């Protein structure tokens, strides 16, 4: 799994700072990866996710623009997401085997790397609307988030324990069935917030969900695998 360190920088500066007005946006890369969440005081906040090289460039620009200001950077890790044009990676599937190869060179395997909105299979803490609304910075929409969950089932996956506290989804055989919830992630910002929450201990993989309510149906989506 990818383990490159990432860094979060809070975009709203502390109002008590004596450095005057600090515009961090103009010090950041042109292509911003903005996440929403909550700060240590439980207040809504925006963060920018930076790679190691972007962090170095950012600190250099800030030091020149605001010599007396020291931005606070939070080191974090992010669940990897590297979806190929083949079925790799897919929950419970060894994609080197013939039965898991593309039917044709023209076949588009979905979801693709940058496809949004995209369905996710959630279990554990992310199956709780309180937790999910905080992670993606939408606490005011908690009611609609709760309504967005659909009972769902996947195959080729089973639960394991990460340490003695957290549930984790791992590969299993065809006969293994696991129930959880399907939820449609709206955009990359929401997805990146989820990837930061899950950390680099997990990776994003494809899975097939069977919806267990309403008219049912099959959904091609993603989930977090240990």
């Amino acid at each position: 799994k990818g383990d490159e360190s990432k860094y979060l920088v809070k975009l709203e500066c502390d109002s008590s700072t004596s450095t005057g007005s600090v515009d961090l946006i103009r010090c950041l890369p042109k292509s911003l990866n903005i996440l929403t969440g909550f700060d240590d005081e439980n207040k809504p906040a925006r963060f920018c996710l930076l790679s190691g090289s972007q962090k170095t460039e950012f600190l250099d620009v800030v030091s020149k623009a605001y010599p007396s200001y020291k931005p606070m950077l939070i080191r974090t890790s992010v669940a990897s997401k590297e979806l190929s044009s083949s079925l790799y990676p897919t929950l419970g599937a060894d994609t080197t085997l013939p039965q898991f190869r593309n039917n044709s060179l023209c076949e588009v395997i979905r979801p693709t790397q940058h496809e949004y909105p995209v369905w996710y299979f959630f279990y554990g803490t992310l199956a709780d609307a309180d937790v999910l609304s905080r992670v993606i910075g939408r606490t005011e929409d908690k009611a609609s988030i709760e309504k967005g969950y659909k009972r769902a089932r996947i195959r080729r996956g089973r639960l394991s324990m990460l340490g003695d506290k957290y549930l984790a989804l791992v590969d299993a055989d065809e006969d293994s069935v696991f129930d959880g919830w399907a939820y449609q992630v709206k955009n990359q910002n929401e997805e990146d917030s989820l990837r930061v929450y899950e950390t680099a201990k997990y990776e994003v993989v494809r899975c097939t969900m069977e919806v267990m309510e309403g008219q049912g149906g099959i959904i091609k989506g993603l989930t977090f695998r240990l």
Side-chain angles (χ1 to χ4, degrees):
K1 301 177 179 63
D3 58 359
E4 179 191 358
S5 292
K6 304 286 186 179
Y7 298 85
L8 291 171
V9 56
K10 185 180 176 183
L11 298 183
E12 292 84 3
C13 297
D14 185 350
S15 59
S16 65
T17 182
S18 59
T19 58
S21 177
V22 176
D23 183 6
L24 292 182
I25 293 290
R26 75 183 187 93
C27 301
L28 291 164
K30 291 183 179 179
S31 180
L32 296 180
N33 193 351
I34 304 296
L35 311 182
T36 55
F38 292 81
D39 61 18
D40 292 339
E41 297 179 352
N42 204 32
K43 295 179 180 178
R46 295 182 307 153
F47 300 86
C48 184
L49 185 65
L50 302 175
S51 66
S53 59
Q54 288 175 327
K55 181 204 75 167
T56 301
E57 294 174 7
F58 167 70
L59 290 177
D60 182 57
V61 174
V62 170
S63 67
K64 293 175 180 176
Y66 308 103
S68 61
Y69 180 73
K70 302 296 182 185
M72 184 178 72
L73 292 165
I74 305 168
R75 185 172 180 172
T76 187
S77 64
V78 182
S80 65
K81 183 189 178 189
E82 299 175 359
L83 306 182
S84 71
S85 57
S86 69
L87 285 171
Y88 177 84
T90 296
L91 181 69
D94 180 352
T95 54
T96 63
L97 298 177
Q99 62 265 38
F100 295 119
R101 292 177 186 166
N102 297 28
N103 293 325
S104 73
L105 294 176
C106 298
E107 182 182 10
V108 177
I109 305 299
R110 300 184 60 195
T112 59
Q113 177 75 7
H114 301 292
E115 180 177 339
Y116 303 100
V118 61
W119 286 93
Y120 264 79
F121 179 81
F122 287 152
Y123 56 93
T125 55
L126 288 178
D128 183 333
D130 281 323
V131 175
L132 179 58
S133 63
R134 287 180 56 81
V135 170
I136 62 178
R138 290 177 52 199
T139 53
E140 73 283 358
D141 292 336
K142 179 188 165 186
S144 63
I145 286 175
E146 199 158 17
K147 291 179 181 177
Y149 284 109
K150 296 181 182 294
R151 288 192 301 111
R153 174 175 294 169
I154 58 170
R155 295 185 180 274
R156 298 185 178 276
R158 65 177 178 83
L159 277 189
S160 181
M161 292 296 295
L162 178 60
D164 58 358
K165 186 177 180 181
Y166 298 104
L167 297 174
L169 190 63
V170 297
D171 289 336
D173 58 30
E174 172 67 26
D175 295 329
S176 181
V177 176
F178 178 63
D179 289 349
W181 299 88
Y183 181 84
Q184 192 175 55
V185 173
K186 304 298 186 293
N187 51 53
Q188 185 177 348
N189 287 347
E190 287 190 359
E191 183 184 64
D192 286 344
S193 295
L194 291 165
R195 291 172 60 202
V196 169
Y197 175 77
E198 290 290 353
T199 78
K201 293 183 182 296
Y202 295 82
E203 64 178 327
V204 176
V205 299
R206 293 186 177 101
C207 67
T208 300
M209 294 168 258
E210 179 184 359
V211 177
M212 307 302 293
E213 61 181 72
Q215 296 182 342
I218 300 298
I219 298 174
K220 298 290 186 180
L222 304 170
T223 192
F224 290 100
R225 178 180 68 186
L226 184 64

